[in-house]
Amino acid sequence: MPIIRTYIDEKGEPRARIVEEDGNYVVSMDVFRELKSPPADAEVIQIDERYKIYIKRLPLLRGVSEFVYFQFLGGVQLINIKYIGPDDPEVVIQELAKAYQEEVSQHEKPGTQQ
C-alpha cells in the first residue's frame, strides 16, 4: 500500500507531494509559471482544438523527471514538475528545484520572474 505525505518547506509551506511504494517515489510539485512557449522537444497531448498538454521527460538522478505544460488560448504555463525513481525525496526536491530553474530560464516570458 502506498504511503503518501506532504513535504513542508522551511517556511512552513507545503512544497511537494511524495508517494512511496516498494522503495520507489513519485515527488510532485505544482508550479504554475507562465512561459513564452512550451519546449519544442516535448510530447504533445491534444485535448481539443483549443488546449494542449506538453510533457517533457529528462533523466534526473537515478530516475526521470517530467515537466507538464498547459497551453491555452492566452498562453502557456508550466503547471507541474515531478520525479519518479528510487532516490531520497529530500535530495530529489532540491534537484527538482534546480531543474525547474533551468527549464524556466529557457522558456520564460519577459516580465514574469518570481
Side-chain angles (χ1 to χ4, degrees), residues 33-37 69 75-78 104 107-109:
R33 185 73 175 261
E34 191 171 345
L35 302 175
K36 64 182 175 186
S37 65
Y69 299 82
V76 175
Q77 282 190 347
L78 174 58
V104 165
H107 306 284
E108 191 163 41
K109 188 173 185 177

Side-chain angles (χ1 to χ4, degrees), residues 88-101:
D88 179 273
E90 300 270 339
V91 173
V92 167
I93 288 169
Q94 301 307 314
E95 292 301 313
L96 270 179
K98 289 178 195 174
Y100 165 73
Q101 289 302 325

Side-chain angles (χ1 to χ4, degrees), residues 30-111:
D30 295 330
V31 291
F32 302 106
R33 185 73 175 261
E34 191 171 345
L35 302 175
K36 64 182 175 186
S37 65
D41 57 346
E43 174 186 350
V44 180
I45 301 169
Q46 184 99 17
I47 297 176
D48 64 24
E49 291 181 18
R50 297 178 357 179
Y51 305 107
K52 292 180 184 175
I53 299 289
Y54 292 81
I55 300 173
K56 180 177 178 179
R57 292 178 181 89
L58 298 168
L60 184 69
L61 302 169
R62 294 180 295 156
V64 65
S65 63
E66 291 183 348
F67 294 81
V68 180
Y69 299 82
F70 180 62
Q71 184 175 33
F72 49 97
L73 293 177
V76 175
Q77 282 190 347
L78 174 58
I79 60 173
N80 182 271
I81 57 175
K82 70 178 61 121
Y83 164 85
I84 303 162
D87 296 294
D88 179 273
E90 300 270 339
V91 173
V92 167
I93 288 169
Q94 301 307 314
E95 292 301 313
L96 270 179
K98 289 178 195 174
Y100 165 73
Q101 289 302 325
E102 289 175 16
E103 186 68 14
V104 165
S105 69
Q106 295 176 32
H107 306 284
E108 191 163 41
K109 188 173 185 177

Side-chain angles (χ1 to χ4, degrees), residues 16-27:
R17 290 173 304 283
I18 302 167
V19 179
E20 176 185 0
E21 186 168 32
D22 298 329
N24 285 303
Y25 299 92
V26 175
V27 179

